Amino acid sequence: MSDSASYKFTLATNNEEIENFCKDHLSEHQLVIYSTLTEIADNTIIDNPSCVIIDTTEFDDAGLETCKKLKEDEDTFKIPVVILTDADTIEDRLDCYLCGCDDVISTPFEGDEFKARVQVAAKNKQIIDDVQADANEIWETALEAMSTAGELGGLLVAIEKCILCNSYDELSNEIFAACEAYELNVSFQIRSTKGLFFYGNNLTPEKENMENELLSRAKDKSRFFDFGARTIVNFESISLLIKNMPLDDMEKYGRIKDNIAPFLSSADSRIRAIALQMEVEKQRSVLERLISDTQSAVEYIEKQYSEHKEQSGELLERLIQEMDAGFISLNLSEAEECHFRNLLENSKTQIMELYEGGLEIDNSFEKIMFKIRRTLKNGIS
């Protein structure tokens, strides 16, 4: 059997002939020899050999107990154990297998067969180790994929919450929550037409001023501005200072940068939207005050119209009565009296019509203001 791989073997024997036999036939491999069973048992974890060879021709049952001990230890049970024995009965060989050994080679030992069988045992361990390594890699990849998927799901939720914020304080809480998911210690600066706002946790006034000044100076730097374990992420309306980037985990370091950028982009858009919303609310308030003032003015005018209408009607009525009384002393003909009376009645009618027209204008104002109030109540888009 040809096997070009190089393996590491450990041998427990105090038989010089067997020691030399193993050296001769395993010369292309690494061979560590112990003269006692205690030594090989104590050093197997450290040596981590491809195969353990125990010579029981000298150690008898103690060699089988050592094999059993290695196979019961969770740190060494995967390492193949080959027993060299001078026992020639099936019962003796079964005792070896019952102790957990992987193979039993009986005397007289034939060199090529011995070499082939211990190499097979070593190769099987190598195959198992490779399969385990592949399985571990697949598992780590799966965990990473699940972690990434979980982070992306969390990112989408964070973006959704961010979009629903109606104030900078609400938005700041969502930013802190999103960063806490990555175990990040952050502070940030929000810039808008409404002013400059700084948010940080558990900072002294001196440190707060220092970090705020740092963010102001770095806001025109690149999107990611790295210095040591700190990173500043810049957008038009927000700059975020990360104070504990994981330099010892570059994979996580990269994920943080990949995920924090789209989240802050949504926060940046929301900051401008909140500023616009605040401006609209301000204009709404001004308009509502204007409507209220106009309403008061219209009500005052309406009241004045009514009072003037009533007073004018009373004055004209008295004038007509006085002129009726005066017609007698003027010796006017009936036709002349009728003519003057018609003039006064027509004047009264025209004056009343003017007042009625003013009231119609007032009603038109009322309808316009009602529509404006309803629009404000339903919201201005």
Side-chain angles (χ1 to χ4, degrees):
M1 177 180 178
S2 176
D3 188 348
S4 60
S6 179
Y7 302 110
K8 180 179 182 179
F9 295 93
T10 55
L11 170 65
T13 184
N14 58 11
N15 185 309
E16 185 177 354
E17 182 180 351
I18 290 179
E19 179 180 332
N20 291 331
F21 174 83
C22 291
K23 286 181 178 179
D24 291 341
H25 292 89
L26 299 176
S27 58
E28 68 268 41
H29 302 288
Q30 182 181 358
L31 179 63
V32 180
I33 300 174
Y34 296 103
S35 59
T36 68
L37 294 171
T38 301
E39 287 181 306
I40 200 167
D42 292 343
N43 288 284
T44 296
I45 295 176
I46 299 173
D47 292 335
N48 190 28
S50 304
C51 178
V52 174
I53 303 171
I54 298 177
D55 172 23
T56 62
T57 61
E58 297 292 334
F59 296 126
D60 297 325
D61 291 343
L64 298 183
E65 286 299 319
T66 299
C67 173
K68 184 177 181 180
K69 180 179 178 181
L70 292 174
K71 288 299 183 178
E72 290 177 348
D73 190 324
E74 63 179 11
D75 294 322
T76 58
F77 78 96
K78 292 182 180 180
I79 300 174
V81 177
V82 174
I83 298 294
L84 304 182
T85 179
D86 55 5
D88 56 0
T89 66
I90 294 178
E91 288 78 6
D92 290 336
R93 293 167 65 85
L94 285 175
D95 287 340
C96 294
Y97 284 115
L98 290 174
C99 288
C101 74
D102 295 83
D103 199 359
V104 180
I105 303 176
S106 301
T107 56
F109 305 130
E110 196 282 317
D112 290 340
E113 180 187 3
F114 164 78
K115 178 179 178 180
R117 289 169 71 171
V118 295
Q119 284 186 161
V120 166
K123 185 175 183 179
N124 287 341
K125 179 181 183 297
Q126 183 63 53
I127 292 172
I128 292 172
D129 288 346
D130 290 343
V131 170
Q132 185 64 52
D134 290 342
N136 290 340
E137 184 177 351
I138 292 171
W139 177 245
E140 289 176 2
T141 301
L143 287 177
E144 181 180 339
M146 288 187 288
S147 175
T148 301
E151 287 178 355
L152 289 176
L155 175 64
L156 292 176
V157 171
I159 290 175
E160 182 180 7
K161 289 182 177 180
C162 174
I163 293 172
L164 296 176
C165 291
N166 292 313
S167 70
Y168 294 148
D169 287 343
E170 286 183 24
L171 183 60
S172 70
N173 290 334
E174 295 304 331
I175 293 174
F176 280 126
C179 291
E180 284 174 5
Y182 293 93
E183 300 178 335
L184 298 178
N185 180 18
V186 303
S187 59
F188 51 93
Q189 181 188 87
I190 290 177
R191 300 176 293 273
S192 77
T193 55
K194 299 304 174 183
L196 187 148
F197 307 89
F198 177 82
Y199 294 89
N201 284 328
N202 303 319
L203 298 177
T204 63
E206 181 181 1
K207 196 164 187 179
E208 181 176 314
N209 291 335
M210 182 180 68
E211 291 187 0
N212 195 19
E213 178 65 21
L214 173 63
L215 290 170
S216 293
R217 293 187 179 187
K219 65 183 178 64
D220 296 322
K221 300 286 186 181
S222 57
R223 176 76 74 214
F224 292 97
F225 178 55
D226 301 308
F227 51 109
R230 299 186 173 215
T231 294
I232 293 178
V233 189
N234 288 313
F235 281 85
E236 179 182 347
S237 302
I238 184 171
S239 291
L240 177 81
L241 171 62
I242 303 173
K243 293 176 267 191
N244 60 332
M245 287 293 279
L247 297 179
D248 57 341
D249 187 347
M250 297 311 295
E251 189 274 331
K252 182 178 180 181
Y253 184 97
R255 290 204 322 271
I256 289 173
K257 283 194 170 183
D258 290 341
N259 293 342
I260 207 70
F263 172 71
L264 285 184
S265 177
S266 67
D268 180 67
S269 298
R270 192 57 193 161
I271 289 168
R272 293 195 295 274
I274 290 173
L276 180 60
Q277 181 178 323
M278 292 169 67
E279 184 62 31
V280 169
E281 289 297 331
K282 179 181 177 181
Q283 293 177 3
R284 182 201 301 268
S285 178
V286 171
L287 187 55
E288 286 177 343
R289 287 198 301 271
L290 178 61
I291 290 173
S292 178
D293 293 343
T294 304
Q295 176 71 34
S296 298
V298 169
E299 289 175 355
Y300 175 77
I301 292 171
E302 181 180 356
K303 180 180 179 182
Q304 292 296 312
Y305 266 125
S306 297
E307 291 177 355
H308 290 170
K309 177 182 178 182
E310 183 178 350
Q311 292 172 2
S312 297
E314 291 175 354
L315 288 173
L316 288 172
E317 190 62 37
R318 283 200 300 272
L319 178 60
I320 292 172
Q321 291 174 0
E322 290 174 357
M323 291 190 70
D324 281 342
F327 287 156
I328 299 173
S329 61
L330 292 175
N331 293 319
L332 295 176
S333 66
E334 184 177 348
E336 289 173 332
E337 288 182 10
C338 184
H339 174 70
F340 281 113
R341 188 176 289 107
N342 287 337
L343 286 176
L344 291 172
E345 290 291 345
N346 289 336
S347 297
K348 178 182 177 181
T349 300
Q350 291 174 2
I351 291 172
M352 293 300 105
E353 287 177 352
L354 287 175
Y355 280 118
E356 292 295 336
L359 291 176
E360 288 180 5
I361 294 173
D362 180 65
N363 289 333
S364 297
F365 270 117
E366 285 282 359
K367 292 178 181 178
I368 292 171
M369 285 186 292
F370 172 77
K371 291 180 180 179
I372 294 174
R373 282 195 297 269
R374 184 174 60 185
T375 301
L376 288 174
K377 183 177 180 180
N378 294 335
I380 300 175
S381 59

